[in-house]
């Protein structure tokens, strides 16, 4: 699943796009400022983590900012049962990644 992510240029993998709290390096970059259609580039340096990143991004990708700002992203990921399928180290950064995405969406939705 991680291999299906749109490629993220190395130039965007900076401290500013690094998600804090992840066991592996995870970068998320909001590509564009269109409130009608959010689009993110994301990557990780670990294969399993990259798959988790792909799940989160797939839940919000190309949706309206207002929808993502109000969305229960963890609820959308519930069918994957990540907490029971992976170690806590692999999932500890997921809330931080979701918060980053939702904060960006809220800023765009507010204008």
């Amino acid at each position: 699943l991680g291999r299906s992510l749109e490629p993220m240029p190395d130039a965007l993998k900076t401290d500013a796009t690094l998600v804090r709290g992840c066991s592996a390096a995870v970068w998320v970059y909001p590509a564009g400022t269109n409130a009608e259609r959010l689009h993110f580039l994301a990557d990780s340096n670990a294969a399993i983590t990259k798959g988790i990143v792909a799940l989160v991004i797939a839940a919000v990708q190309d949706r309206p900012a207002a929808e993502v700002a109000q969305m229960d992203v963890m609820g959308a990921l519930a069918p994957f049962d990540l907490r029971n399928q992976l170690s806590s180290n692999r999932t500890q950064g997921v809330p931080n990644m979701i918060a980053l995405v939702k904060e960006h969406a809220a800023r765009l939705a507010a204008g």
Side-chain angles (χ1 to χ4, degrees):
L1 188 59
R3 288 185 209 118
S4 69
L5 281 172
E6 184 177 343
M8 183 178 189
D10 287 341
L12 296 177
K13 296 175 187 175
T14 66
D15 194 52
T17 61
L18 187 67
V19 179
R20 307 287 179 230
C22 296
S23 60
V26 172
W27 301 272
V28 175
Y29 178 79
T33 57
N34 183 348
E36 297 303 315
R37 185 176 169 264
L38 290 180
H39 194 80
F40 294 92
L41 298 176
D43 200 1
S44 176
N45 65 349
I48 292 173
T49 304
K50 191 170 181 172
I52 297 167
V53 169
L55 287 173
V56 173
I57 294 302
V60 300
Q61 194 74 294
D62 300 327
R63 293 180 181 268
E67 179 183 330
V68 172
Q70 299 300 316
M71 185 178 184
D72 177 7
V73 179
M74 285 301 281
L77 299 177
F80 300 104
D81 196 25
L82 295 177
R83 294 198 191 284
N84 291 320
Q85 300 298 323
L86 302 168
S87 69
S88 62
N89 283 351
R90 291 281 183 207
T91 59
Q92 67 188 8
V94 172
N96 295 348
M97 185 174 21
I98 291 170
L100 185 148
V101 166
K102 288 182 60 112
E103 286 166 12
H104 177 72
R107 278 193 304 274
L108 284 181

XYZ file of all heavy atoms in Angstrom:
813
model
N 0.825 -1.195 0.000
C 0.000 0.000 0.000
C 0.867 1.255 0.000
O 0.553 2.224 -0.688
C -0.936 -0.023 1.207
C -2.000 1.052 1.266
C -2.911 1.001 0.046
C -2.825 0.889 2.516
N 1.940 1.231 0.743
C 2.839 2.377 0.784
C 3.441 2.697 -0.567
O 3.696 3.859 -0.881
N 3.648 1.686 -1.380
C 4.201 1.901 -2.722
C 3.237 2.666 -3.625
O 3.642 3.217 -4.636
C 4.553 0.566 -3.375
C 5.757 -0.081 -2.761
C 6.149 -1.343 -3.531
N 6.786 -2.244 -2.614
C 6.341 -3.449 -2.294
N 5.280 -3.935 -2.872
N 6.979 -4.184 -1.417
N 1.956 2.690 -3.257
C 0.962 3.376 -4.075
C 0.923 4.888 -3.819
O 0.243 5.609 -4.550
C -0.428 2.785 -3.836
O -0.874 3.104 -2.531
N 1.632 5.352 -2.809
C 1.652 6.794 -2.527
C 2.282 7.551 -3.689
O 3.255 7.089 -4.291
C 2.466 7.091 -1.266
C 1.795 6.841 0.071
C 2.809 6.996 1.201
C 0.620 7.763 0.278
N 1.722 8.706 -3.961
C 2.310 9.593 -4.960
C 3.715 9.959 -4.494
O 3.915 10.251 -3.302
C 1.428 10.843 -5.044
C 1.816 11.829 -6.077
C 0.831 12.992 -6.119
O -0.299 12.882 -5.594
O 1.212 14.025 -6.690
N 4.696 9.929 -5.367
C 6.072 10.227 -4.939
C 6.194 11.621 -4.327
O 5.620 12.585 -4.824
C 6.883 10.145 -6.236
C 6.054 9.329 -7.164
C 4.623 9.592 -6.790
N 6.936 11.676 -3.237
C 7.198 12.948 -2.557
C 8.646 13.331 -2.825
O 9.557 12.585 -2.448
C 6.955 12.813 -1.059
C 7.126 14.091 -0.291
S 6.742 13.817 1.466
C 6.748 15.495 2.054
N 8.875 14.470 -3.468
C 10.251 14.880 -3.745
C 11.072 15.021 -2.464
O 10.564 15.492 -1.442
C 10.087 16.235 -4.442
C 8.691 16.249 -4.959
C 7.893 15.415 -3.989
N 12.328 14.627 -2.533
C 13.208 14.718 -1.365
C 13.298 16.145 -0.829
O 13.450 16.347 0.375
C 14.606 14.197 -1.705
C 14.636 12.688 -1.832
O 13.710 12.008 -1.319
O 15.587 12.163 -2.446
N 13.184 17.142 -1.700
C 13.273 18.537 -1.272
C 12.163 18.912 -0.292
O 12.305 19.863 0.482
C 13.231 19.460 -2.488
N 11.048 18.158 -0.301
C 9.937 18.435 0.618
C 10.072 17.687 1.939
O 9.287 17.918 2.858
C 8.607 18.073 -0.045
C 8.230 18.890 -1.269
C 6.920 18.376 -1.860
C 8.129 20.364 -0.935
N 11.033 16.812 2.031
C 11.241 16.032 3.260
C 12.163 16.831 4.179
O 13.364 16.604 4.252
C 11.822 14.660 2.932
C 10.876 13.826 2.106
C 11.519 12.515 1.692
C 10.614 11.776 0.726
N 11.255 10.557 0.198
N 11.553 17.783 4.868
C 12.299 18.695 5.722
C 11.786 18.599 7.154
O 10.779 17.917 7.420
C 12.129 20.145 5.238
O 10.760 20.525 5.419
C 12.524 20.304 3.769
N 12.444 19.304 8.029
C 12.008 19.340 9.421
C 10.597 19.929 9.534
O 9.824 19.540 10.396
C 12.996 20.161 10.250
C 12.794 19.962 11.736
O 12.769 18.794 12.177
O 12.644 20.980 12.452
N 10.253 20.839 8.631
C 8.931 21.476 8.654
C 7.812 20.507 8.283
O 6.674 20.681 8.717
C 8.910 22.673 7.712
N 8.107 19.484 7.491
C 7.076 18.533 7.070
C 7.144 17.221 7.840
O 6.331 16.331 7.624
C 7.179 18.237 5.553
O 8.444 17.667 5.258
C 6.956 19.504 4.738
N 8.108 17.110 8.751
C 8.281 15.905 9.558
C 7.184 15.823 10.618
O 6.910 16.799 11.322
C 9.650 15.924 10.231
C 10.077 14.680 10.981
C 10.295 13.514 10.020
C 11.359 14.963 11.758
N 6.543 14.669 10.728
C 5.509 14.452 11.740
C 6.188 14.008 13.026
O 6.920 13.017 13.035
C 4.485 13.391 11.270
C 3.433 13.146 12.350
C 3.823 13.821 9.966
N 5.962 14.718 14.082
C 6.576 14.400 15.384
C 5.895 13.184 16.020
O 4.706 12.947 15.816
C 6.446 15.591 16.335
C 6.957 16.879 15.771
C 8.473 16.905 15.712
N 8.906 18.170 15.130
C 9.767 18.263 14.141
N 10.278 17.200 13.589
N 10.133 19.439 13.677
N 6.653 12.418 16.774
C 6.095 11.316 17.544
C 6.052 9.974 16.832
O 5.600 8.994 17.415
N 6.500 9.938 15.603
C 6.495 8.665 14.865
C 7.789 7.916 15.137
O 8.851 8.520 15.271
C 6.350 8.918 13.370
S 4.784 9.679 12.912
N 7.713 6.590 15.189
C 8.905 5.796 15.433
C 9.845 5.826 14.232
O 11.058 5.749 14.381
C 8.534 4.355 15.780
O 7.812 3.766 14.720
N 9.310 5.956 13.047
C 10.096 6.116 11.828
C 9.873 7.543 11.335
O 8.958 8.233 11.778
C 9.633 5.119 10.773
N 10.709 7.999 10.422
C 10.510 9.333 9.857
C 9.278 9.319 8.952
O 9.129 8.434 8.112
C 11.737 9.755 9.072
N 8.394 10.281 9.170
C 7.182 10.443 8.357
C 7.083 11.920 7.989
O 7.208 12.781 8.847
C 5.909 10.024 9.130
C 4.651 10.373 8.342
C 5.944 8.546 9.454
N 6.882 12.162 6.703
C 6.718 13.517 6.207
C 5.353 13.649 5.557
O 4.926 12.770 4.819
C 7.779 13.866 5.168
C 9.177 13.749 5.665
C 9.919 14.702 6.302
C 10.029 12.595 5.554
N 11.167 14.200 6.600
C 11.260 12.917 6.142
C 9.856 11.312 5.009
C 12.315 12.024 6.196
C 10.902 10.417 5.078
C 12.119 10.775 5.671
N 4.665 14.749 5.836
C 3.378 15.041 5.210
C 3.425 16.485 4.734
O 3.745 17.394 5.510
C 2.202 14.841 6.186
C 0.887 15.264 5.531
C 2.123 13.396 6.638
N 3.108 16.674 3.462
C 3.138 17.998 2.852
C 1.803 18.288 2.187
O 1.369 17.530 1.319
C 4.257 18.055 1.808
C 4.344 19.370 1.089
C 4.952 20.468 1.680
C 3.823 19.514 -0.186
C 5.037 21.682 1.021
C 3.900 20.725 -0.857
C 4.511 21.805 -0.250
O 4.587 22.991 -0.905
N 1.133 19.361 2.594
C -0.118 19.739 1.926
C 0.202 20.383 0.586
O 0.804 21.451 0.532
C -0.764 20.727 2.890
C 0.357 21.262 3.715
C 1.440 20.219 3.727
N -0.144 19.717 -0.492
C 0.146 20.215 -1.840
C -1.021 21.066 -2.317
O -2.081 20.548 -2.630
C 0.389 19.042 -2.785
N -0.845 22.345 -2.327
C -1.896 23.247 -2.787
C -2.714 23.821 -1.655
O -2.601 23.408 -0.504
N -3.546 24.783 -2.016
C -4.362 25.480 -1.028
C -5.826 25.503 -1.457
O -6.552 26.443 -1.146
C -3.859 26.926 -0.837
O -3.883 27.586 -2.113
C -2.470 26.959 -0.258
N -6.262 24.486 -2.141
C -7.632 24.403 -2.631
C -8.527 23.813 -1.548
O -8.423 22.638 -1.216
C -7.670 23.538 -3.893
C -9.038 23.464 -4.517
O -10.032 23.867 -3.924
N -9.093 22.937 -5.717
N -9.422 24.627 -1.000
C -10.305 24.162 0.079
C -11.334 23.152 -0.421
O -11.893 22.405 0.366
C -11.017 25.347 0.728
N -11.580 23.136 -1.718
C -12.553 22.186 -2.284
C -11.970 20.796 -2.476
O -12.699 19.819 -2.591
C -13.081 22.712 -3.621
C -13.848 24.007 -3.496
C -15.018 23.902 -2.529
O -15.760 22.906 -2.588
O -15.167 24.812 -1.691
N -10.642 20.716 -2.505
C -10.011 19.417 -2.778
C -8.618 19.393 -2.145
O -7.649 19.837 -2.742
C -9.923 19.209 -4.286
C -9.399 17.872 -4.700
C -9.458 17.756 -6.238
N -8.724 16.599 -6.669
C -7.466 16.612 -7.092
N -6.785 17.736 -7.147
N -6.860 15.504 -7.465
N -8.540 18.883 -0.930
C -7.239 18.762 -0.261
C -6.394 17.712 -0.959
O -6.913 16.683 -1.407
C -7.421 18.316 1.190
C -8.026 19.306 2.154
C -8.112 18.679 3.532
C -7.223 20.578 2.213
N -5.115 17.968 -1.015
C -4.224 16.966 -1.598
C -2.924 16.979 -0.803
O -2.377 18.042 -0.523
C -3.955 17.261 -3.077
C -3.335 16.113 -3.782
N -4.069 15.033 -4.226
C -2.050 15.838 -4.084
C -3.260 14.149 -4.800
N -2.037 14.615 -4.720
N -2.470 15.791 -0.425
C -1.265 15.670 0.385
C -0.248 14.774 -0.298
O -0.606 13.789 -0.943
C -1.597 15.056 1.753
C -2.463 15.932 2.606
C -3.841 15.809 2.575
C -1.901 16.885 3.430
C -4.650 16.614 3.357
C -2.708 17.701 4.216
C -4.076 17.565 4.180
N 1.007 15.118 -0.110
C 2.110 14.231 -0.449
C 2.632 13.719 0.882
O 2.694 14.467 1.860
C 3.216 14.977 -1.189
C 2.831 15.587 -2.536
C 4.005 16.375 -3.110
C 2.378 14.517 -3.505
N 3.006 12.455 0.942
C 3.488 11.887 2.193
C 4.468 10.761 1.903
O 4.424 10.139 0.835
C 2.325 11.367 3.024
N 5.335 10.504 2.873
C 6.317 9.434 2.719
C 6.837 9.033 4.100
O 6.639 9.735 5.085
C 7.483 9.905 1.847
C 8.279 8.751 1.239
O 7.924 7.570 1.465
O 9.258 9.021 0.530
N 7.484 7.895 4.143
C 8.159 7.417 5.347
C 9.396 6.649 4.919
O 9.454 6.118 3.803
C 7.243 6.500 6.165
O 7.960 5.983 7.275
N 10.345 6.555 5.825
C 11.559 5.805 5.525
C 11.452 4.344 5.956
O 12.419 3.597 5.854
C 12.780 6.471 6.168
C 12.731 6.460 7.684
O 11.707 6.147 8.290
N 13.838 6.823 8.307
N 10.280 3.917 6.416
C 10.066 2.523 6.828
C 8.839 1.976 6.095
O 7.790 2.631 6.041
C 9.851 2.452 8.339
N 8.959 0.798 5.540
C 7.909 0.222 4.689
C 6.572 0.060 5.406
O 5.528 0.449 4.867
C 8.371 -1.117 4.131
N 6.567 -0.490 6.607
C 5.305 -0.699 7.322
C 4.670 0.646 7.666
O 3.473 0.847 7.474
C 5.511 -1.560 8.589
C 5.874 -2.991 8.178
C 4.271 -1.548 9.468
C 6.262 -3.891 9.327
N 5.478 1.563 8.149
C 4.970 2.888 8.482
C 4.432 3.587 7.246
O 3.402 4.263 7.299
C 6.074 3.735 9.153
O 6.552 3.033 10.302
C 5.565 5.096 9.557
N 5.097 3.418 6.123
C 4.641 4.025 4.872
C 3.253 3.499 4.498
O 2.415 4.244 3.994
C 5.644 3.756 3.753
C 5.399 4.549 2.505
C 6.572 4.412 1.541
C 6.351 5.223 0.296
N 7.527 5.256 -0.561
N 2.982 2.240 4.779
C 1.654 1.676 4.544
C 0.610 2.315 5.437
O -0.515 2.594 4.995
N 0.947 2.572 6.691
C 0.032 3.245 7.615
C -0.223 4.671 7.135
O -1.357 5.145 7.133
C 0.595 3.236 9.052
C 0.726 1.802 9.552
C -0.290 4.060 9.985
C 1.555 1.667 10.812
N 0.839 5.339 6.709
C 0.712 6.691 6.160
C -0.247 6.675 4.972
O -1.122 7.536 4.848
C 2.097 7.241 5.747
C 1.972 8.514 4.937
C 2.975 7.453 6.969
N -0.109 5.680 4.111
C -0.985 5.570 2.937
C -2.445 5.409 3.348
O -3.336 5.975 2.706
C -0.536 4.410 2.053
N -2.711 4.675 4.413
C -4.088 4.519 4.901
C -4.674 5.861 5.352
O -5.813 6.189 5.016
C -4.143 3.525 6.059
C -3.977 2.057 5.731
C -3.880 1.234 7.015
C -5.118 1.565 4.860
N -3.892 6.602 6.110
C -4.365 7.896 6.607
C -4.608 8.848 5.438
O -5.663 9.493 5.355
C -3.362 8.511 7.612
C -3.764 9.934 7.985
C -3.246 7.642 8.853
N -3.654 8.914 4.528
C -3.782 9.826 3.389
C -4.981 9.425 2.523
O -5.745 10.278 2.067
C -2.475 9.871 2.573
C -1.341 10.487 3.411
C -2.663 10.641 1.263
C -1.608 11.877 3.932
N -5.179 8.138 2.304
C -6.306 7.680 1.488
C -7.644 8.102 2.093
O -8.600 8.382 1.363
C -6.257 6.162 1.317
N -7.717 8.175 3.407
C -8.969 8.555 4.076
C -9.339 10.011 3.820
O -10.521 10.359 3.840
C -8.856 8.295 5.579
N -8.344 10.870 3.575
C -8.611 12.309 3.448
C -8.314 12.884 2.059
O -8.745 13.991 1.753
C -7.817 13.112 4.502
C -8.197 12.674 5.906
C -6.321 12.995 4.284
N -7.606 12.144 1.256
C -7.118 12.663 -0.025
C -8.239 13.134 -0.941
O -9.235 12.431 -1.133
C -6.296 11.577 -0.739
C -5.454 12.064 -1.896
C -4.230 12.839 -1.454
O -4.341 13.911 -0.882
N -3.057 12.285 -1.712
N -8.072 14.331 -1.471
C -8.964 14.925 -2.475
C -10.390 15.182 -1.977
O -11.313 15.301 -2.769
C -8.965 14.084 -3.758
C -7.577 13.997 -4.377
O -6.817 14.975 -4.251
O -7.243 12.963 -4.968
N -10.550 15.273 -0.673
C -11.850 15.611 -0.080
C -11.871 17.109 0.228
O -10.821 17.731 0.397
C -12.078 14.826 1.208
C -12.236 13.333 0.985
C -12.453 12.645 2.338
N -12.587 11.222 2.196
C -13.746 10.588 2.051
N -14.872 11.261 2.030
N -13.779 9.275 1.930
N -13.058 17.685 0.386
C -13.146 19.098 0.764
C -12.570 19.347 2.164
O -12.724 18.522 3.068
C -14.650 19.379 0.752
C -15.247 18.304 -0.096
C -14.363 17.097 0.100
N -11.926 20.494 2.328
C -11.297 20.835 3.602
C -12.308 20.822 4.747
O -12.016 20.316 5.831
C -10.614 22.197 3.508
N -13.489 21.368 4.524
C -14.494 21.412 5.588
C -14.888 20.010 6.044
O -15.089 19.766 7.232
C -15.728 22.178 5.113
N -14.960 19.093 5.114
C -15.297 17.700 5.454
C -14.179 17.060 6.272
O -14.434 16.416 7.287
C -15.531 16.904 4.165
C -15.864 15.445 4.396
C -16.018 14.671 3.093
O -16.432 15.263 2.082
O -15.715 13.467 3.103
N -12.938 17.249 5.843
C -11.798 16.652 6.548
C -11.652 17.253 7.939
O -11.361 16.544 8.904
C -10.499 16.808 5.728
C -9.282 16.370 6.535
C -10.601 16.017 4.425
N -11.888 18.548 8.074
C -11.770 19.215 9.379
C -12.724 18.613 10.402
O -12.408 18.548 11.591
C -12.020 20.712 9.228
N -13.884 18.141 9.953
C -14.887 17.562 10.853
C -14.839 16.036 10.905
O -15.526 15.411 11.711
C -16.285 17.995 10.404
C -16.496 19.486 10.425
C -16.306 20.078 11.806
O -16.787 19.537 12.793
N -15.569 21.178 11.884
N -14.033 15.435 10.080
C -14.018 13.986 9.890
C -13.417 13.229 11.083
O -12.464 13.686 11.706
C -13.186 13.688 8.636
C -13.138 12.293 8.192
S -12.137 12.264 6.665
C -12.314 10.564 6.262
N -13.964 12.079 11.371
C -13.396 11.166 12.366
C -12.455 10.222 11.619
O -12.847 9.138 11.189
C -14.508 10.381 13.061
C -13.981 9.365 14.066
O -12.754 9.356 14.328
O -14.792 8.573 14.576
N -11.215 10.667 11.444
C -10.248 9.891 10.661
C -9.922 8.577 11.361
O -9.831 7.530 10.715
C -8.976 10.716 10.376
C -7.969 9.896 9.576
C -9.324 12.003 9.624
N -9.782 8.614 12.682
C -9.524 7.360 13.411
C -10.678 6.384 13.208
O -10.467 5.188 13.064
C -9.295 7.623 14.896
C -7.943 8.222 15.209
S -6.529 7.213 14.675
C -6.482 6.014 15.973
N -11.892 6.892 13.180
C -13.055 6.050 12.915
C -13.000 5.441 11.527
O -13.364 4.278 11.334
N -12.532 6.223 10.555
C -12.397 5.713 9.189
C -11.361 4.595 9.106
O -11.463 3.697 8.271
C -12.033 6.846 8.235
N -10.372 4.645 10.006
C -9.318 3.617 10.028
C -9.678 2.410 10.894
O -8.968 1.409 10.879
C -8.006 4.230 10.531
C -7.428 5.375 9.705
C -6.176 5.912 10.371
C -7.147 4.932 8.282
N -10.770 2.498 11.638
C -11.168 1.435 12.567
C -11.257 0.051 11.922
O -10.832 -0.934 12.542
C -12.475 1.791 13.260
N -11.776 -0.083 10.698
C -11.854 -1.425 10.107
C -10.495 -2.125 9.953
O -10.430 -3.346 9.861
C -12.484 -1.178 8.731
C -13.233 0.091 8.875
C -12.437 0.916 9.855
N -9.413 -1.346 9.951
C -8.085 -1.937 9.809
C -7.516 -2.432 11.135
O -6.506 -3.118 11.152
C -7.127 -0.934 9.155
C -7.586 -0.508 7.796
C -8.167 0.729 7.613
C -7.465 -1.361 6.712
C -8.612 1.126 6.354
C -7.906 -0.983 5.455
C -8.479 0.261 5.269
N -8.156 -2.076 12.253
C -7.773 -2.559 13.585
C -6.263 -2.416 13.830
O -5.606 -3.351 14.277
C -8.230 -4.014 13.739
C -8.222 -4.480 15.184
O -8.332 -3.635 16.090
O -8.094 -5.703 15.397
N -5.732 -1.247 13.519
C -4.289 -1.023 13.606
C -3.727 -1.289 15.002
O -2.630 -1.822 15.139
C -3.942 0.402 13.171
C -4.224 0.748 11.714
C -3.892 2.209 11.442
C -3.444 -0.165 10.787
N -4.465 -0.912 16.026
C -3.954 -1.085 17.402
C -3.683 -2.549 17.736
O -2.788 -2.852 18.512
C -4.928 -0.492 18.406
C -5.037 1.006 18.292
C -5.642 1.604 19.539
N -5.990 2.994 19.361
C -5.133 3.999 19.355
N -3.863 3.765 19.506
N -5.551 5.237 19.205
N -4.476 -3.461 17.179
C -4.277 -4.881 17.458
C -3.413 -5.588 16.413
O -2.971 -6.708 16.653
C -5.630 -5.587 17.567
C -6.379 -5.157 18.804
O -5.803 -4.991 19.872
N -7.676 -4.939 18.665
N -3.190 -4.948 15.284
C -2.410 -5.567 14.225
C -0.933 -5.193 14.269
O -0.089 -5.919 13.761
C -2.975 -5.184 12.842
C -4.401 -5.608 12.621
C -4.588 -7.114 12.688
O -3.741 -7.880 12.248
N -5.699 -7.541 13.264
N -0.639 -4.042 14.892
C 0.728 -3.519 14.894
C 1.166 -3.182 16.313
O 0.335 -2.979 17.195
C 0.797 -2.246 14.044
C 0.363 -2.377 12.591
C 0.199 -1.011 11.967
C 1.371 -3.213 11.812
N 2.461 -3.091 16.507
C 2.974 -2.688 17.820
C 2.621 -1.230 18.072
O 2.381 -0.456 17.144
C 4.491 -2.867 17.869
O 5.118 -1.914 17.025
N 2.611 -0.836 19.329
C 2.279 0.550 19.664
C 3.293 1.518 19.065
O 2.954 2.660 18.742
C 2.181 0.732 21.173
O 3.423 0.452 21.779
N 4.547 1.088 18.904
C 5.554 1.943 18.275
C 5.165 2.313 16.854
O 5.457 3.405 16.385
C 6.922 1.255 18.247
C 7.596 1.286 19.581
O 7.145 1.957 20.504
N 8.683 0.559 19.701
N 4.528 1.388 16.142
C 4.150 1.625 14.745
C 2.960 2.575 14.617
O 2.792 3.213 13.594
C 3.794 0.312 14.049
C 4.955 -0.591 13.847
C 5.754 -0.134 12.654
N 6.845 -1.057 12.422
C 7.972 -0.722 11.845
N 8.157 0.497 11.425
N 8.912 -1.610 11.663
N 2.139 2.654 15.635
C 0.921 3.468 15.535
C 0.953 4.730 16.392
O 0.024 5.520 16.325
C -0.317 2.631 15.930
O -0.150 2.151 17.262
C -0.534 1.485 14.973
N 2.006 4.952 17.165
C 2.009 6.080 18.091
C 1.975 7.439 17.394
O 1.457 8.405 17.960
C 3.203 6.006 19.033
C 4.556 6.195 18.368
C 5.702 5.918 19.310
O 5.502 5.440 20.415
N 6.902 6.207 18.870
N 2.482 7.541 16.190
C 2.475 8.821 15.487
C 1.211 9.090 14.695
O 1.018 10.200 14.196
N 0.330 8.101 14.579
C -0.884 8.260 13.774
C -1.735 9.440 14.260
O -2.155 10.270 13.442
C -1.699 6.946 13.710
C -3.052 7.166 13.050
C -0.915 5.875 12.962
N -1.998 9.591 15.561
C -2.782 10.752 15.995
C -2.127 12.087 15.620
O -2.826 13.044 15.282
C -2.868 10.592 17.515
C -2.679 9.127 17.743
C -1.716 8.683 16.680
N -0.799 12.150 15.657
C -0.104 13.386 15.292
C -0.270 13.679 13.805
O -0.450 14.832 13.409
C 1.374 13.305 15.653
C 1.600 13.211 17.134
O 0.694 13.426 17.928
N 2.802 12.862 17.531
N -0.199 12.641 12.984
C -0.378 12.814 11.547
C -1.803 13.266 11.251
O -2.021 14.180 10.449
C -0.058 11.512 10.799
C -0.115 11.677 9.316
S 0.414 10.268 8.334
C 0.286 8.896 9.400
N -2.764 12.649 11.896
C -4.162 13.023 11.705
C -4.386 14.466 12.160
O -5.055 15.245 11.473
C -5.097 12.047 12.455
C -5.057 10.677 11.767
C -6.513 12.593 12.527
C -5.749 9.571 12.536
N -3.813 14.850 13.292
C -3.970 16.219 13.794
C -3.398 17.223 12.795
O -4.022 18.260 12.522
C -3.291 16.366 15.150
N -2.246 16.925 12.220
C -1.630 17.813 11.247
C -2.540 18.001 10.030
O -2.778 19.122 9.578
C -0.280 17.222 10.818
C 0.576 18.051 9.886
C 2.034 17.784 10.184
C 0.283 17.733 8.437
N -3.080 16.912 9.511
C -3.962 16.953 8.349
C -5.235 17.738 8.666
O -5.668 18.596 7.896
C -4.282 15.512 7.880
C -5.444 15.476 6.909
C -3.050 14.858 7.276
N -5.827 17.470 9.824
C -7.072 18.138 10.211
C -6.845 19.631 10.466
O -7.697 20.461 10.142
C -7.699 17.456 11.415
C -8.295 16.086 11.049
C -8.960 15.425 12.226
C -10.059 16.230 12.767
N -11.401 15.702 12.615
N -5.713 19.997 11.059
C -5.406 21.400 11.309
C -5.261 22.149 9.983
O -5.764 23.265 9.839
C -4.133 21.542 12.143
C -4.324 21.173 13.591
C -3.019 20.993 14.351
O -1.938 21.367 13.820
O -3.081 20.472 15.480
N -4.595 21.536 9.018
C -4.467 22.149 7.700
C -5.852 22.322 7.070
O -6.172 23.379 6.517
C -3.549 21.311 6.801
C -3.437 21.848 5.427
N -2.746 23.007 5.139
C -3.951 21.408 4.246
C -2.850 23.246 3.838
N -3.564 22.298 3.283
N -6.658 21.288 7.154
C -8.012 21.344 6.589
C -8.830 22.441 7.252
O -9.534 23.201 6.575
C -8.712 19.994 6.759
N -8.737 22.559 8.563
C -9.497 23.577 9.291
C -9.072 24.992 8.884
O -9.914 25.878 8.721
C -9.347 23.375 10.795
N -7.771 25.207 8.706
C -7.277 26.512 8.266
C -7.837 26.871 6.897
O -8.295 27.985 6.660
C -5.740 26.534 8.219
C -5.070 26.773 9.545
C -3.599 27.099 9.387
N -2.840 26.096 8.663
C -2.287 25.008 9.183
N -2.431 24.771 10.485
N -1.616 24.161 8.451
N -7.803 25.920 5.959
C -8.332 26.174 4.621
C -9.845 26.386 4.641
O -10.363 27.249 3.949
C -7.992 25.032 3.675
C -6.545 24.975 3.177
C -6.364 23.793 2.228
C -6.143 26.253 2.492
N -10.543 25.597 5.433
C -12.000 25.705 5.504
C -12.420 27.064 6.084
O -13.447 27.608 5.688
C -12.579 24.565 6.333
N -11.629 27.581 7.006
C -11.947 28.865 7.634
C -11.648 30.045 6.711
O -12.090 31.154 6.963
C -11.174 29.009 8.941
N -10.881 29.770 5.652
C -10.573 30.821 4.684
C -9.312 31.499 5.048
O -8.851 32.485 4.779
